[in-house]
Amino acid sequence: MRKVALVMGSDSDLPVVSGAFEQLKEFGIPFEAHVISAHRTPAAAEAFARGAKAAGIGVIVAAAGKAAHLGGIIAAYTTLPVIGLPIKSSTLDGLDSLLSIVQMPPGIPVATVAIDGAQNAAILAAQILALSEAGLTEKLEAHRVAMAAKVLEKDKTLQEELKGL
Ligand code: RP5
């Protein structure tokens, strides 16, 4: 199976990005993770993106905060799908990161998930891989069934609580 690569602009992004590790593990998807900065290590960002396909990577998740150019610079050097994960920043609450990632000019798309939306980045990566990887679709469907069961359980608990009022 092709891997998901998670790249982050700084190790300070890791607490958010690690949420994607859990989800990918649950789906049985192999992944690798790297700290690569669009600003501080631009040559490394280019080298990573250029070599990603040959390294067996199928989807790249690029997490970054503030002036978050990592997803864009990586997408510029590969035709693999790139999912941008905006990280909540201390000064502008992640709106800076979100707009930097989502507002790519025409020609080089970066699919964008919510601020700190690591789980959705992993699920979207899985959905992309599922187009060509047997068995993944069933895992995605099972995940949705489990999610729905949790909601039904929560509603049941709420109804019990309301009876006691
Ligand atoms: C971005 O700047 C990183 O993705 C991180 O979210 C932010 C701050 O980086 P550090 O100063 O914590 O290394 O490039």
Side-chain angles (χ1 to χ4, degrees):
M1 187 186 305
R2 287 198 158 265
K3 288 179 283 186
V4 172
L6 302 118
V7 292
M8 63 205 94
S10 169
D11 61 349
S12 63
D13 302 326
L14 189 56
V16 172
V17 178
S18 59
F21 298 168
E22 302 304 318
Q23 190 61 66
L24 291 169
K25 255 176 77 177
E26 188 189 314
F27 290 140
I29 296 173
F31 63 88
E32 58 183 67
H34 306 278
V35 176
I36 301 173
S37 169
H39 310 280
R40 296 165 179 159
T41 61
E46 178 183 346
F48 167 79
R50 284 191 190 277
K53 200 168 186 181
I57 292 162
V59 183
I60 298 168
V61 175
K66 301 189 175 180
H69 297 137
L70 185 59
I73 199 76
I74 285 177
Y77 289 112
T78 180
T79 54
L80 289 174
V82 177
I83 301 169
L85 169 55
I87 301 293
K88 184 172 177 172
S89 53
S90 55
T91 43
L92 294 173
D93 275 348
L95 193 58
D96 44 355
S97 325
L98 173 65
L99 295 178
S100 301
I101 294 172
V102 79
Q103 285 289 61
M104 284 296 290
I108 307 291
V110 174
T112 310
V113 295
I115 297 166
D116 286 356
Q119 192 188 18
N120 268 5
I123 294 170
L124 183 54
Q127 290 180 183
I128 294 168
L129 289 180
L131 292 170
S132 55
E133 301 289 352
L136 252 185
T137 298
E138 288 73 15
K139 287 180 184 172
L140 283 158
E141 283 168 358
H143 180 257
R144 289 190 178 193
V145 169
M147 217 167 34
K150 276 185 203 159
V151 174
L152 293 177
E153 193 54 44
K154 284 176 186 173
D155 183 60
K156 208 170 139 192
T157 305
L158 175 62
Q159 298 315 313
E160 289 304 319
E161 284 170 9
L162 291 175
K163 275 185 205 162
L165 290 181

